[in-house]
């Protein structure tokens, strides 16, 4: 492990470490952070590997586990939303059962958010739950999906997907965020992770890190150049903020606490659900999740302005633009988007619950935002051609 490594302890009911830095797979399964795993000698370990991750980092993990005396089984999973499914979970579970994994054995999820959610779900339900290690390999999964223990699969509904409909809370015993694996990530996927970082920057003031957005913007040249020290710091800061929110509301039961992390997502999910296309300059095709969230953050800020809560639209738009994320898209009619937002599972009794910026680094959850303010927010991201 290099001197750049940062180890963050997440103090949940069962505390565990998130180890961040370049090259942390090597040696990551031994030492103090790996203690909750117990000895791996003669343990069976199943590694669920994202098919999109190059073989070299996968082999580092496999070699580490074998050198500790574990008997290792690998299974590949493909990072496609329609394959974040019960069928794929069953395939993983069957491999675990065929390999006779026992309660004391371990699963390692090595991949982006899709493979992490799928493999984590298998770990949550196999023999009522076995320990697992999360090795997130996209920026988004490092700064977001690797914190909080949410595991899930989607449920098909005609041609659409009910996202994350089936799932469980199941905290990992260890997270290894190896910054080196980000070198193979496409620029587009990399920028998607930055959208969640901007989101964290807009709410981090309530969680003892008021300068996160400023720091991120200042550090963007080094971040976009994928400088290992800047990336380590970026991931560590974001994990700290998300970890603080999750710690305050581990199971998303306290009204409006963990819900803060939904900032930009009610708008974003509606855009994703309606199949809104990304601008050609971004790469075209359907919007990626991070792109939809980036647009959602601008729309939320604009709604907050319409509602008279705060005025940070241009600040948010500037941050989104400097990350290379879209600030405008061709949209369907505003009332269609509003209808899709009402269907978001976060709304209760048909009342739209929105997380809105209320001041620098602060957000509030409101269920009394008038339609006009929401439509005004949507208008702020509509492409004018
Ligand atoms: N559990 C949570 O708290 C949580 C939070 C946020 C998102 N999610 C879930 O995460 C998923 C999105 O995750 P994502 O943004 O990581 O995308 P993803 O898992 O779809 O991965 C994006 C692409 O990058 C590839 N890839 C992964 N690592 C790579 C690497 N190192 N080099 C090259 N290619 C690589 C994948 O194969 C895939 O093609 C969604 O399903 C979302 O619901 C979960
Ligand atoms: Zn998100």
């Amino acid at each position: 492990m290099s001197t750049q490594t940062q180890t963050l302890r997440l103090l949940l009911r069962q505390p565990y470490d998130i180890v961040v830095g370049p090259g942390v797979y090597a040696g990551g399964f031994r030492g103090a952070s790996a203690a909750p795993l117990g000895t791996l000698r003669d343990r069976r370990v199943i590694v669920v590997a994202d098919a999109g991750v190059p073989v070299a980092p996968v082999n580092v993990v496999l070699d580490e586990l074998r050198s500790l005396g574990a008997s290792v089984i690998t299974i590949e999973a493909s990072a496609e939303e329609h394959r974040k499914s019960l069928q794929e979970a069953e395939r993983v579970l069957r491999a675990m059962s065929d390999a006779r994994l026992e309660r004391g054995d371990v699963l390692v999820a090595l991949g982006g958010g899709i493979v992490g959610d799928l493999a984590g779900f298998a770990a949550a339900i196999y023999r009522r739950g076995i320990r697992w290690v999360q090795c997130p390999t996209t920026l988004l999964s490092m700064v977001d999906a690797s914190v909080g223990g949410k595991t899930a699969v989607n449920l098909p509904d005609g041609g659409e997907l009910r996202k994350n409909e089936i799932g469980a809370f199941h905290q990992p015993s260890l997270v290894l965020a190896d910054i080196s694996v980000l070198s193979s990530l496409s620029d587009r996927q990399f920028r998607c992770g930055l959208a969640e970082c901007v989101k964290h920057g807009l709410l981090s003031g309530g969680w003892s890190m008021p300068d996160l957005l400023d720091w991120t913007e200042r550090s963007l040249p080094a971040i976009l150049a994928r400088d290992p020290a800047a990336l380590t710091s970026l991931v560590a800061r974001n994990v700290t903020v998300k970890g603080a929110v999750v710690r305050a509301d581990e199971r998303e039961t306290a009204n409006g606490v963990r819900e803060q992390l939904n900032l930009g997502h009610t708008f974003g999910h509606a855009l994703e659900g309606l199949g809104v296309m990304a601008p050609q300059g971004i790469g075209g095709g359907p919007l990626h999740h991070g792109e939809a969230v980036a647009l959602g953050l601008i729309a939320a800020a604009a709604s907050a302005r319409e509602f008279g809560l705060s005025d940070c639209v241009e600040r948010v738009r500037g941050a989104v633009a400097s990350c290379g994320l879209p600030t405008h898209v061709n949209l369907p009619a505003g009332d269609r988007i509003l209808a899709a937002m009402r269907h978001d599972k976060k709304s209760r009794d048909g009342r739209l619950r929105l997380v809105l910026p209320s001041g620098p680094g602060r957000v509030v959850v409101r269920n009394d935002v008038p339609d006009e303010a929401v439509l005004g927010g949507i208008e702020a991201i509509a492409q004018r051609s």
Side-chain angles (χ1 to χ4, degrees), residues 129 183 239:
S183 60
V239 160

Side-chain angles (χ1 to χ4, degrees), residues 50-54 79 81 84 111-115 117 137-138 140-141 144-145 147 150-151 163-164 181-182 184-185 189 242:
D50 188 321
V53 176
E81 281 292 344
K84 193 173 112 175
I114 291 185
V115 170
D117 278 9
T137 61
T138 60
L140 188 139
S141 60
D144 191 348
V147 189
K150 280 190 177 177
T151 73
K163 281 248 318 179
N164 302 330
V181 298
L182 295 177
S184 53
L185 197 63
Q189 290 292 352
K242 182 164 180 189

Side-chain angles (χ1 to χ4, degrees), residues 299-340:
S303 297
R305 181 172 66 189
E306 299 282 321
F307 194 35
L309 265 182
S310 68
D311 186 358
C312 58
V313 189
E314 293 320 315
R315 179 80 213 283
V316 178
R317 201 193 297 278
V320 165
S322 51
C323 292
L325 288 157
T327 56
H328 296 88
V329 268
N330 280 319
L331 289 176
D335 52 358
R336 273 193 66 204
I337 299 173
L338 193 56

